[in-house]
Amino acid sequence: MGSIGVVYDSGYGHTAAQARAVGEGAASVPGIDVALYFAEEIAADPRRLGHCDALIFGTPTYLGSGSAIFKTFMEASAKIWLDQGWKGKLAAGFTNSAGHSGDKLATLTQLWLFAMQHGMVWVGLGLLDGNGRSTGSDAELNRLGAYAGAMAQSNSDQGLEGMQDSDLRTASALGERVARQVATWQGGGR
Ligand SMILES: Cc1cc2nc3c(=O)[nH]c(=O)nc-3n(C[C@H](O)[C@H](O)[C@H](O)COP(=O)(O)O)c2cc1C
């Protein structure tokens, strides 16, 4: 039994699709409740996340970092940070951008540091990098080769049809991994 909150921002819908995939993967684990929270809305009262055993953070990469709206959520959590209210919860992250690199690692690093400041315990993707061999293809899981979290790439001139199925499956795998960790995580040591 456990509860996971997926907190995300998305200006144009791509990262929202990734968030839904993360949520579906998490919900595939029996006994895990999953809820998606739009960062701008939950920033008004981030204490509503207090019941979650794990928080999975997601934001588009804008100019080499998370979006301003996601940063608003981060700063809205400052009073919780002061009390270390999320200490011992599990955390993970995901991001989408137009570039294949797109400096997405900087965004995942930002999310990781945010979780570290809160005393949370980071769960990485747990998948080897895909599509790194001559026999590989973009259909492979983790085709963008991230370890710190889930990455997705979508062309800037396309809508959701530009999302790669493999990236959504990778996002789902992250959600499922966090959910499996929640199922066994005690967290009591904080
Ligand atoms: C203000 C802004 C800054 C962006 N900066 C980057 C960037 O640094 N790297 C990148 O690869 N794509 C960048 N992009 C492209 C977005 O990451 C891409 O369109 C992504 O799909 C947006 O996700 P969303 O639909 O969830 O908002 C930027 C887009 C905008 C609007």
Side-chain angles (χ1 to χ4, degrees), residues 20-180:
R20 289 193 292 275
V22 167
E24 285 165 14
S28 72
V29 175
I32 299 293
D33 290 327
V34 183
L36 268 61
Y37 301 91
F38 189 46
E40 193 168 22
E41 289 169 10
I42 199 68
D45 186 10
R47 290 195 190 277
R48 284 175 49 212
L49 300 170
H51 69 286
C52 295
D53 301 293
L55 296 174
I56 308 179
F57 304 120
T59 169
T61 293
Y62 288 165
L63 295 166
S65 73
S67 68
I69 287 175
F70 196 86
K71 187 73 164 81
T72 299
F73 159 73
M74 289 169 65
E75 293 185 16
S77 75
K79 285 188 178 147
I80 298 168
W81 162 78
L82 203 56
D83 299 337
Q84 289 289 279
W86 292 346
K87 191 171 183 179
K89 293 185 190 299
L90 298 179
F94 60 94
T95 187
N96 175 80
S97 82
H100 284 249
S101 160
D103 292 330
K104 282 188 269 276
L105 183 58
T107 303
L108 290 182
T109 304
Q110 181 186 23
L111 297 177
W112 165 72
L113 270 177
F114 173 59
M116 292 301 96
Q117 291 223 355
H118 272 286
M120 302 172 85
V121 179
W122 190 256
V123 179
L125 183 58
L127 294 172
L128 289 173
D129 50 322
N131 198 17
R133 294 169 187 268
S134 60
T135 52
S137 81
D138 271 346
E140 286 186 37
L141 222 49
N142 195 19
R143 69 176 180 119
L144 296 170
Y147 288 90
M151 291 183 179
Q153 179 270 335
S154 54
N155 296 325
S156 57
D157 60 347
Q158 287 186 297
L160 294 190
E161 75 279 10
M163 296 293 294
Q164 294 278 330
D165 179 64
S166 52
D167 289 347
L168 295 176
R169 284 188 286 112
T170 301
S172 179
L174 177 71
E176 183 177 342
R177 182 167 202 237
V178 173
R180 292 199 185 284

